[in-house]
Amino acid sequence: MTLICARLSHSHYAGLMLALLAGVAILLPVSAQQSCDKTQTSQVQIKAGEQNMSRLTQAVLEHDTDARNIASTMGQAALNELAPLLAHQDVSIRLRAVMALGGVDILISKTALFSALDDADPNVMHAALAEIEQQQAKLSVPLLVGLLDRLQDDNAKNRLILMLGQRLDITQSAALEKYCNVDQAVSVALHSMAALAKIGVEQRRKQFSAYLLTIKDADTFAEAFQLVEYINQPWLVATLRQLLANKQQYKSLGGHFPGFPTTIRVCDAVVMLIGALLPQLTLSFDASVYANFSDEQIAELNYASAKVKY
């Protein structure tokens, strides 16, 4: 009824309406009435469909952070809804879909999650990597090696290389050796060197130690010291002690604790690194808390660390 009345209300039919209203009762054909009923029914169904939209899809589309918990509850059933959203034209929707996928066991979601590694937007791709990092222990080494071989982005490669450095043993080092050469980007080769050093490849340990002593650009220390923290093995102390005299300042990447300075002296960072690598040291000061350590404190740590056998 609403549809027909709307059509008859157009000015094109004004004359016909006046004639009918003047002397004839308006009678709707049965077919028109049925059509009107169907239209009304269709509209009701559409509204009902909107109201009954899956909570998961709605949460992703509305950028609701609860999408992850909903997906976790749904398990494998969530994939039917999230997989199509990974192809959405809106980058933010794809990003939310990846985050929601992270709530599903990676052994279930891996096909969909891995597809996001090919996303043209780096934020979506790195979000997928972050979810893989969180559940990496469930993935086999061959699978992680296969993922590394398909990645194109250097930063993504670096993250996966560091994951493998925590999973491989020295008999599996060939998987990373091919990334530790001059044909790779400098950053990729450096991360491969660090991962291989962590695994226990002696040649790479010597190379990484030598690299620390050749750094000229002060700001390069930020990335290098992050890799020192990643390796986290006492054999690094001998090299780090040689940097205790370096009072250059470099831009800190932060992340230590709130209020950590934006710039820090190399020697102060080294004091904290050695203190973390050798927690058994007995010192008159706390080497784990940032400070502009005095020359006396630096000398004390240098002497104490030189006596440690490792």
Side-chain angles (χ1 to χ4, degrees):
M1 176 71 77
T2 303
L3 180 60
I4 289 180
C5 290
R7 289 176 176 171
L8 294 179
S9 65
H10 292 305
S11 58
H12 183 71
Y13 296 97
L16 176 59
M17 290 178 64
L18 289 174
L20 290 171
L21 290 173
V24 182
I26 300 176
L27 298 175
L28 290 175
V30 174
S31 60
Q33 183 65 49
Q34 290 175 338
S35 175
C36 203
D37 289 343
K38 288 181 180 178
T39 301
Q40 290 176 335
T41 301
S42 175
Q43 291 173 343
V44 171
Q45 289 174 340
I46 291 172
K47 291 181 179 179
E50 292 174 349
Q51 293 172 352
N52 295 329
M53 178 188 292
S54 163
R55 287 183 60 218
L56 175 57
T57 299
Q58 187 173 10
V60 172
L61 294 178
E62 295 179 356
H63 294 196
D64 186 344
T65 55
D66 200 37
R68 188 184 185 93
N69 293 331
I70 298 172
S72 178
T73 300
M74 292 176 64
Q76 188 167 4
L79 299 185
N80 295 331
E81 296 186 43
L82 293 176
L85 293 176
L86 292 175
H88 199 284
Q89 63 180 2
D90 188 331
V91 172
S92 65
I93 297 300
R94 300 202 304 274
L95 184 61
R96 289 290 180 181
V98 167
M99 293 177 177
L101 268 176
V104 180
D105 190 301
I106 198 167
L107 296 179
I108 297 173
S109 66
K110 61 182 182 181
T111 300
L113 191 59
F114 293 170
S115 69
L117 293 175
D118 298 321
D119 197 282
D121 187 271
N123 293 316
V124 177
M125 182 265 291
H126 282 290
L129 265 176
E131 300 299 345
I132 292 170
E133 285 172 335
Q134 289 187 25
Q135 299 192 55
Q136 60 176 289
K138 297 180 180 180
L139 301 177
S140 69
V141 166
L143 181 55
L144 290 174
V145 171
L147 289 177
L148 173 60
D149 289 341
R150 65 180 270 190
L151 291 174
Q152 299 299 318
D153 181 85
D154 288 342
N155 290 327
K157 287 182 182 179
N158 292 342
R159 291 173 65 171
L160 203 45
I161 285 169
L162 296 187
M163 276 190 249
L164 284 166
Q166 297 173 320
R167 298 287 302 280
L168 299 174
D169 60 44
I170 199 165
T171 65
Q172 301 167 304
S173 60
L176 293 182
E177 284 289 356
K178 61 183 177 181
Y179 292 96
C180 194
N181 59 65
V182 294
D183 295 328
Q184 297 290 332
V186 172
S187 179
V188 173
L190 176 60
H191 281 73
S192 299
M193 185 192 303
L196 289 165
K198 184 178 180 69
I199 291 169
V201 179
E202 188 61 27
Q203 176 193 5
R204 301 308 182 187
R205 287 183 173 184
K206 291 178 180 178
Q207 287 180 334
F208 186 79
S209 295
Y211 164 73
L212 291 176
L213 298 178
T214 60
I215 296 175
K216 301 299 182 184
D217 176 19
D219 289 339
T220 303
F221 279 112
E223 182 180 42
F225 286 163
Q226 278 196 328
L227 293 176
V228 168
E229 292 178 323
Y230 162 77
I231 295 171
N232 191 32
Q233 295 172 359
W235 57 266
L236 287 159
V237 172
T239 302
L240 290 173
R241 287 179 55 236
Q242 298 181 59
L243 295 173
L244 285 171
N246 190 330
K247 295 186 178 181
Q248 284 180 286
Q249 289 192 330
Y250 69 92
K251 293 180 181 179
S252 169
L253 297 178
H256 294 270
F257 52 81
F260 199 82
T262 55
T263 60
I264 179 174
R265 294 188 306 175
V266 170
C267 58
D268 295 326
V270 170
V271 167
M272 292 187 290
L273 288 171
I274 293 177
L277 293 172
L278 300 176
Q280 69 271 34
L281 289 183
T282 300
L283 302 169
S284 65
F285 63 97
D286 189 350
S288 67
V289 177
Y290 169 76
N292 284 314
F293 296 106
S294 66
D295 290 343
E296 291 75 14
Q297 289 173 324
I298 293 173
E300 178 186 346
L301 176 128
N302 189 22
Y303 176 76
S305 60
K307 294 170 61 178
V308 175
K309 302 298 180 182
Y310 46 83

